[in-house]
Amino acid sequence: MSSTLKISNLTKAFGPQPVLRNLSIEIAPKEFVSVLGSSGSGKTTLLRLIAGFDTPDTGEISIAGNKVAAEGIFVAAQARKVGYVPQDAALFPHLNVFENIAFGLKGLSKEAKVSRVRILLDLVQMSAFETSDSTSLSGGQKHRVALARALAPEPELILLDEPFSALDAELRGRIRDDVREVLDKTGSTTILVTHDQEEALSIADRVALLRDGNFAQIGNPREIYSSPVDLGVATFLGDSVIVAGVIESGKVVTSLGNLTPLNSSAEGSRGKVAIRPENFYLQPDLNGDSTVVGRQFFGHDAVVDVQTPKQLIRARSSGPFAPEIGMKVTVWVRGAVNFYPEG
């Protein structure tokens, strides 16, 4: 498979502290990959190594088939054909919008430069701001210009360093969708690093979950969310109710009933299952053995806390029909579950 980016056995430490440990990944042309991780997981270090801002200790990085970092090889950042969009947009305050976008366009005639910038201004919906002072722009507008500036030299790879985190929630979602649309139109290969799980899952073709300096799991958003490789991934990616169980006759016997495991395990295996809140069904029942003890209403849905005979669980229910606090319910688990054997 051809790849725009190939990373092999990449390691990086700062002093005695290892940050990345034998990390490997390949990213195909036009693919959008989110690298998701908590603070300190190595996300920014990885981006800086790809961009050429730092050098790896060991391992290799290739962009469009050309090695840019390896033993005895280091290609400078400006020669890597990588576009970089930082968290704060980092526009040049002394340049207007046109001049910011044109900054990286070297060797073009004046006519070609004007044409390229105006195409990008139209693409990011900023044509009306061509001569505007960059310091007068809103947060969302600054990020549109920063993206256009990164795209201007037609790079092989675009790196997005948590570019939406400083925006308010409504604007963040809108700008995120617009950015993905622009990158699709330009056919760009893109890496987004983020700590925001919703952002990573909603925008990417694949998600690479970075933990302790390596990828704990790589897959499409549905795979990552529905089939976490371990309990750590399951609890990091949204809420999960953890229940102990044992395999008997092909079922996981738990305090919430006999559940169907997605993965096969030996008879008698003990372990735990991770159940998403949306997989619970709450049946109002005057004789039910569980009681609703909490309820957060969000309009289209609600999060409901239920005390079962063995433990407290959190379920997600349709907002208008979510059971009220104090109601008796019977708890059912819909669908199969992920079973994680002990050890």
Side-chain angles (χ1 to χ4, degrees), residues 15-34:
Q17 182 63 41
V19 179
L20 300 178
R21 313 165 191 259
N22 293 313
L23 184 145
S24 299
I25 191 172
E26 286 193 52
I27 299 178
K30 301 183 181 182
E31 189 176 21
F32 192 120
V33 173
S34 290

Side-chain angles (χ1 to χ4, degrees), residues 123-125 144 147 151 177-188:
L123 192 64
V124 298
Q125 301 174 41
R144 292 176 191 273
L147 178 62
L151 288 168
D177 292 344
D178 289 346
V179 165
R180 179 64 206 253
E181 183 179 357
V182 168
L183 293 169
D184 283 344
K185 286 180 179 178
T186 58
S188 300

Side-chain angles (χ1 to χ4, degrees), residues 36-68:
L36 173 65
S38 57
S39 178
S41 62
K43 302 187 305 296
T44 297
T45 297
L46 173 59
L47 219 59
R48 290 181 62 84
L49 292 173
I50 296 169
F53 302 151
D54 288 327
T55 57
D57 296 334
T58 60
E60 296 183 353
I61 302 173
S62 295
I63 297 175
N66 301 308
K67 286 184 182 179
V68 296

Side-chain angles (χ1 to χ4, degrees), residues 192-320:
L192 164 74
V193 299
T194 181
H195 65 275
D196 187 319
Q197 300 148 27
E198 178 183 324
E199 183 169 277
L201 293 170
S202 65
I203 199 172
D205 300 315
R206 280 193 300 159
V207 176
L209 180 58
L210 189 59
R211 182 179 65 189
D212 297 328
N214 212 322
F215 290 127
Q217 187 172 358
I218 302 173
N220 68 50
R222 181 180 292 275
E223 291 169 347
I224 292 283
Y225 185 79
S226 300
S227 301
V229 293
D230 56 37
L231 282 174
V233 174
T235 53
F236 180 73
L237 283 173
D239 290 336
S240 287
V241 175
I242 309 302
V243 182
V246 59
I247 299 293
E248 293 183 7
S249 302
K251 296 288 186 179
V252 189
V253 179
T254 76
S255 62
L256 296 174
N258 297 344
L259 311 179
T260 301
L262 283 167
N263 47 332
S264 59
S265 296
E267 182 75 8
S269 295
R270 294 187 175 275
K272 294 179 179 178
V273 297
I275 307 170
R276 298 291 188 194
E278 59 268 24
N279 290 121
F280 287 110
Y281 176 68
L282 307 179
Q283 174 67 53
D285 184 350
L286 291 176
N287 298 312
D289 60 3
S290 301
T291 305
V292 175
V293 295
R295 184 176 185 267
Q296 293 175 282
F297 182 71
F298 298 105
H300 59 287
D301 67 358
V303 173
V304 182
D305 294 321
V306 180
Q307 183 63 58
T308 73
K310 295 290 186 179
Q311 70 181 93
L312 183 71
I313 68 165
R314 174 160 288 185
R316 191 171 292 277
S317 181
S318 173

Side-chain angles (χ1 to χ4, degrees), residues 95-173:
L95 302 180
N96 65 23
V97 168
F98 180 98
E99 292 163 341
N100 262 279
I101 297 172
F103 182 81
L105 293 175
K106 310 298 183 184
L108 293 183
S109 66
K110 181 179 179 180
E111 293 76 13
K113 187 178 294 188
V114 169
S115 175
R116 178 67 179 157
V117 171
R118 287 181 174 166
I119 287 171
L120 289 164
L121 282 168
D122 182 60
L123 192 64
V124 298
Q125 301 174 41
M126 289 291 291
S127 295
F129 298 87
E130 180 176 322
T131 59
S132 296
D133 185 338
S134 61
T135 60
S136 69
L137 303 178
S138 68
Q141 290 168 340
K142 287 179 180 178
H143 281 87
R144 292 176 191 273
V145 175
L147 178 62
R149 182 179 62 185
L151 288 168
E154 300 184 87
E156 297 285 355
L157 183 65
I158 292 288
L159 305 178
L160 305 177
D161 188 2
E162 303 206 51
F164 316 116
S165 60
L167 305 176
D168 64 70
E170 181 182 354
L171 180 60
R172 184 164 62 243

